[in-house]
Amino acid sequence: MAKESQKFEDAPGTRTVSKSERFLVIGSGSAGRRHALALRQIFPSAAITVVKRSTSQQPLETLRNSDVQIVDSVEYGVLNSPDFIVIASPATMHLGDIAYLSNHCSRFLLEKPTAATSHDARAIHALASDANLHVVVGHHLRFSDTPLALKNAVDSIREESPSGLALAYGQHLRHWRPGVTQETTVTALKKLGGGVLRELSHEIDAVSFVGSPPTVVRSARLSFEGAPTDGQVETSADFLLESDHLTTSIHLDMTTDVPYRHWDAIYSTFMLRADLLNGTVTKIHTDGTREQLFTADTGERDRAAIALLRFSIFGTPKGPVSACDIAQGVRILNTIEAVEQSAKSGKPTEIAE
């Protein structure tokens, strides 16, 4: 059983870190680099190490310029006895990584998705429970200004609940990780847990905190064409999820040339639209009139990343949406696998509890 790091001191709802804080990030891809730089922003003098195991060419100069050490193995990474670990490796490696690292640390941020399969996600859940690990899953949009503004707008309308949600994200694979060969990215490879269902699982997560947890996949359609992948990962997905008194349509797409990310809450005479790329929430009436409800300040993405890390490390007081825990992460994988089954069978599929 992993022991609680002595660098953390418990207090009601908070945690503190000693002056000699040490952080480890597993993975040097875009998520790993982003977390390492956010840690440097929070802790200007901390010892931060990134493990780069991939042979792919990744832009690491910013890390080096930020005094982040780069090593080539997890074994080297734990030599510094980290107080907190970010696991941003491919989803297929999450179970093996946390199983090994739980012998060296007890507090983690685990990048989404929790794992590549619900089987591995359940194993991570069991490990965390048995070893008394503190694990937050990296669904950073729960901490982002625009989704939270949409959540607040939905909650403020007490006379009516939304009849449905429509969540859509489209962006061609070549725009996701500039400077990296598209065919070798995590997104493009089945063996690394790629595909839009897992890589864009923020939309699936949002159904539960904007609306209510889905119970059934009513229908699903997947495509495997239109982007440079291994041909085994889905490049677009369209599916309907049903919750109590709520139907959600989701479209995920890595083939479109014009990026967009819209989350709509649909009512009888209007809808609330969160435009996540532009950072706005707008009330759109059926007669076409629009009322701007919210505009995010610049730097929303960085603020969300820092807020997620702060919560994971310190247990900073929660906002209107709590962080994603492993049990919720398992449910997201259950939903993804129900979508895959529904697309294969052409029939509605219940989502496992």
Side-chain angles (χ1 to χ4, degrees):
M1 180 180 293
K3 295 181 179 179
E4 179 75 13
S5 169
Q6 297 303 307
K7 298 299 180 182
F8 294 89
E9 299 174 0
D10 283 314
T14 63
R15 287 182 180 268
T16 58
V17 181
S18 78
K19 292 182 180 179
S20 59
E21 61 266 11
R22 296 183 291 270
F23 299 98
L24 177 63
V25 179
I26 309 299
S28 57
S30 58
R33 297 195 305 272
R34 187 167 57 246
H35 288 305
L37 294 174
L39 284 168
R40 174 59 70 221
Q41 192 168 343
I42 301 169
F43 302 100
S45 60
I48 302 173
T49 302
V50 168
V51 174
K52 180 186 185 302
R53 293 177 294 192
S54 170
T55 58
S56 65
Q57 297 301 309
Q58 297 151 335
L60 303 178
E61 198 59 33
T62 304
L63 295 182
R64 296 189 179 98
N65 291 341
S66 299
D67 194 27
V68 174
Q69 182 184 22
I70 301 170
V71 299
D72 62 6
S73 74
V74 175
E75 290 76 14
Y76 276 118
V78 297
L79 290 178
N80 203 25
S81 301
D83 301 303
F84 179 83
I85 298 176
V86 177
I87 298 179
S89 52
T92 49
M93 302 176 71
H94 284 183
L95 175 57
D97 282 343
I98 198 168
Y100 176 81
L101 293 165
S102 64
N103 296 307
H104 301 272
C105 188
S106 64
R107 298 183 63 79
F108 295 88
L109 172 62
L110 180 64
E111 251 303 328
K112 61 86 187 166
T114 305
T117 66
S118 64
H119 176 275
D120 280 6
R122 288 191 297 273
I124 291 172
H125 192 197
L127 171 67
S129 178
D130 292 344
N132 195 28
L133 306 181
H134 179 274
V135 184
V136 172
V137 181
H139 282 278
H140 72 273
L141 290 183
R142 290 178 174 228
F143 293 84
S144 198
D145 301 338
T146 303
L148 292 178
L150 175 64
K151 169 68 173 173
N152 287 333
V154 169
D155 289 348
S156 70
I157 301 171
R158 302 189 182 278
E159 64 274 14
E160 183 183 1
S161 297
S163 60
L165 302 175
L167 311 176
Y169 181 23
Q171 180 174 243
H172 198 283
L173 178 59
R174 67 174 174 273
H175 299 308
W176 287 27
R177 297 176 177 89
V180 178
T181 304
Q182 300 166 47
E183 295 87 342
T184 63
T185 62
V186 167
T187 311
L189 298 173
K190 180 76 169 179
K191 66 180 181 181
L192 298 181
V196 293
L197 288 171
R198 289 163 178 79
E199 287 284 277
L200 301 179
S201 55
H202 287 299
E203 271 63 26
I204 297 172
D205 179 44
V207 179
S208 293
F209 70 79
V210 176
S212 58
T215 57
V216 176
V217 178
R218 181 54 53 192
S219 63
R221 184 176 71 256
L222 305 178
S223 173
F224 297 83
E225 301 175 343
T229 71
D230 60 4
Q232 300 179 62
V233 299
E234 70 285 346
T235 55
S236 67
D238 290 275
F239 50 100
L240 290 176
L241 303 180
E242 287 193 0
S243 314
D244 291 338
H245 313 296
L246 184 74
T247 299
T248 300
S249 67
I250 296 182
H251 173 75
L252 306 174
D253 186 350
M254 69 163 86
T255 67
T256 183
D257 282 321
V258 180
Y260 57 86
R261 194 170 210 164
H262 296 156
W263 292 5
D264 298 338
I266 302 165
Y267 295 81
S268 58
T269 60
F270 63 89
M271 75 174 182
L272 301 175
R273 165 162 289 186
D275 183 336
L276 276 67
L277 297 189
N278 291 316
T280 60
V281 176
T282 307
K283 188 175 186 179
I284 305 174
H285 297 270
T286 52
D287 64 4
T289 58
R290 293 171 172 254
E291 178 185 353
Q292 192 97 334
L293 303 180
F294 172 82
T295 302
D297 293 332
T298 57
E300 178 177 2
R301 179 64 181 82
D302 291 340
R303 285 194 301 277
I306 288 172
L308 171 63
L309 278 166
R310 283 191 178 279
F311 179 84
S312 303
I313 296 166
F314 297 114
T316 305
K318 300 175 183 177
V321 179
S322 64
C324 183
D325 59 29
I326 303 179
Q328 292 168 325
V330 171
R331 188 70 194 283
I332 291 168
L333 265 299
N334 288 343
T335 304
I336 288 170
E337 291 176 359
V339 169
E340 293 171 327
Q341 180 59 36
S342 180
K344 183 177 180 180
S345 68
K347 299 177 181 179
T349 303
E350 291 190 3
I351 298 169
E353 293 295 333

